[in-house]
Amino acid sequence: MDFTPTKEQTAAQELAARIFGDLSTHDRLTAAGTGTDAELWKALCAAGLPGAVEDIGLLGLVLILEEQGRTTAQVPFAATCVYGLLAVAAHGTDEQRARLLPGLRDGTSVATGAFPERGAIRAAAGGGVPATPGGLRTTDQGGARTTARGGVRTMAPGQLTGSSPLVPWLRDATHVLLPDADGALWLVRTADAEVTEVETTAPWAAGRLVLSGTPGERLGGPDAYESVLALARTAFAGLQAGVCAGSLARAVAYTSTREQFGRPLSTNQGVLLRAADAYMDTESIRVTAYEAAWRQDEGMDAAAEALTAAWWASEAGKRVVHAGQHLHGGTGADLDHPVHRHFLWGRQLDSYLGCGPELLAELGQLLAMEPASALEPTPVMATAPAMGTAPTMATAPAKEPSREGR
């Protein structure tokens, strides 16, 4: 494994760091409340960052999401890229890609996902579909009607019924990707559904989605759901790595300047050990997210690695944001201090897409089904390098914890 980013990935990460650093400030986040920072989203899209994800891959997306997490920037970047751009590019038909990708690239369309599948959405065959003209072949596929002519496939609308109680960024989305009870993926326009505002721990413009015979178009085949779920778990693990890195950077800066009994808090052994543990946890989230993303970009099986990254993001992420909060003492409880956002984001990401015990149980079931040869360890060439340094043999990345954002 070699996680050294390409020139294109590095350039995208550096550009994202500048935009997030300049625009996702404490004052702007306070003014945005629980909604999206529309000006920041426009700046990211004008810079071409959402569209660049198709070229820089999942690892490049993880690098960008780290920068978003450092500043807890309130934009639906991860959701649009995972549930929109990457999902449609990988599983959409030629017609769907031509129709949907341009809007997702320039930001005029925003996607989100009602993941994971909880069995609450059910699909029925599309009603009111016109009679098939001569020369067309129509078949039913998992509740969707597929019409093909001349090798080009189009999906007639299915009818979806059910509800999803919590969908992040739903209030800003134009499209929502959701799995039905059978694991088939459907893309629904939010304008055709009922959306009710829901407030969560993190300010993610979330909502409750209600479908009542709502039309949807089928996306991909029977394996599409598991593929998109693995993408989402890896991407949001990268976001959690950034959230934790930002929390730790703030804690280091605070304890290095805050004095008690005539010396900085950072000179106390208990503070040093707590920060060191948080640093190792943060690097564990990062390196597992990098591995899962790299394997998926290389076309390798990464189901276990995505679950591993998600487990670290859940369990270790929770520990890190708690440590960041505690190391700030009473200041951490003040909503006027930005560290509280890292705590709220970290706790929301802890349970999003599955909490630690759920992920561990799923990983155990997956490994139990693997043949013995598949469980043999793979030699490690290199792990994620420190920023600006060459990769080393089997070492975790070393990143300066005292830097606050990029």
Side-chain angles (χ1 to χ4, degrees):
M1 294 174 286
D2 186 356
F3 304 150
T4 305
T6 65
K7 292 181 179 180
E8 292 78 11
Q9 290 170 338
T10 300
Q13 182 185 24
E14 291 175 349
L15 177 59
R18 288 198 298 272
I19 296 175
F20 286 128
D22 291 343
L23 296 182
S24 186
T25 63
H26 177 57
D27 291 340
R28 288 180 59 86
L29 289 170
T30 301
T34 62
T36 296
D37 187 332
E39 183 178 340
L40 174 57
W41 179 243
K42 290 179 181 178
L44 292 167
C45 295
L49 283 174
V53 171
E54 294 177 86
D55 298 320
I56 62 178
L58 184 56
L59 181 56
L61 174 59
V62 166
L63 293 172
I64 293 176
L65 292 178
E66 276 194 75
E67 302 304 330
Q68 179 185 358
R70 291 177 196 277
T71 59
T72 59
Q74 291 175 200
V75 286
F77 197 95
T80 294
C81 289
V82 170
Y83 302 124
L85 275 165
L86 295 181
V88 173
H91 303 289
T93 64
D94 291 341
E95 187 276 332
Q96 286 173 321
R97 287 193 289 268
R99 171 166 48 89
L100 297 170
L101 288 179
L104 293 167
R105 290 173 185 140
D106 63 22
T108 55
S109 296
V110 175
T112 188
F115 276 60
E117 189 272 314
R118 302 294 187 190
I121 306 296
R122 298 196 172 273
V129 180
T132 303
L136 294 181
R137 181 178 71 260
T138 302
T139 57
D140 287 330
Q141 292 185 0
R145 292 174 62 85
T146 304
T147 303
R149 171 165 47 188
V152 178
R153 191 169 57 118
T154 59
M155 295 291 187
Q159 301 228 336
L160 305 173
T161 302
S163 65
S164 183
L166 175 62
V167 182
W169 305 110
L170 183 63
R171 304 200 306 260
D172 297 323
T174 57
H175 296 80
V176 55
L177 186 67
L178 53 91
D180 65 20
D182 298 320
L185 280 186
W186 299 86
L187 195 63
V188 173
R189 295 193 315 150
T190 53
D192 297 330
E194 178 184 340
V195 175
T196 306
E197 181 175 331
V198 173
E199 295 299 345
T200 64
T201 302
W204 287 357
R208 181 173 185 262
L209 180 70
V210 178
L211 307 174
S212 302
T214 306
E217 57 180 311
R218 179 75 179 271
L219 188 72
D223 299 329
Y225 169 68
E226 294 296 338
S227 173
V228 174
L229 181 58
L231 287 175
R233 283 172 167 163
T234 303
F236 281 95
L239 184 61
Q240 181 75 302
V243 169
C244 291
S247 175
L248 181 59
R250 293 187 184 279
V252 169
Y254 178 80
T255 56
S256 297
T257 56
R258 178 76 163 87
E259 292 191 357
Q260 189 178 59
F261 304 115
R263 60 175 184 167
L265 288 173
S266 60
T267 61
N268 295 325
Q269 187 179 40
V271 172
L272 290 171
L273 292 175
R274 191 76 187 276
D277 287 341
Y279 174 75
M280 294 304 296
D281 273 337
T282 301
E283 295 304 300
S284 297
I285 301 170
R286 177 181 288 118
V287 74
T288 52
Y290 284 7
E291 180 182 8
W294 176 81
R295 288 181 66 91
Q296 292 182 66
D297 285 342
E298 293 296 313
M300 304 168 66
D301 178 43
E305 286 75 14
L307 282 166
T308 301
W311 182 84
W312 274 103
S314 176
E315 293 291 302
K318 180 168 51 182
R319 292 194 296 265
V320 172
V321 296
H322 273 264
Q325 194 82 355
H326 292 165
L327 290 175
H328 278 80
T331 303
D334 186 355
L335 296 183
D336 290 331
H337 195 281
V339 74
H340 81 278
R341 294 192 183 90
H342 296 271
F343 180 80
L344 297 178
W345 277 63
R347 288 312 308 260
Q348 191 69 48
L349 287 167
D350 162 37
S351 59
Y352 183 54
L353 300 179
C355 63
E358 291 175 324
L359 295 166
L360 197 59
E362 190 175 340
L363 178 60
Q365 292 173 354
L366 178 65
L367 296 179
M369 294 186 295
E370 292 283 351
S373 59
L375 301 180
E376 294 178 0
T378 302
V380 177
M381 293 172 56
T383 59
M387 190 63 64
T389 64
T392 57
M393 290 294 292
T395 56
K399 202 160 190 175
E400 182 61 43
S402 61
R403 290 186 299 176
E404 187 172 322
R406 292 283 312 260

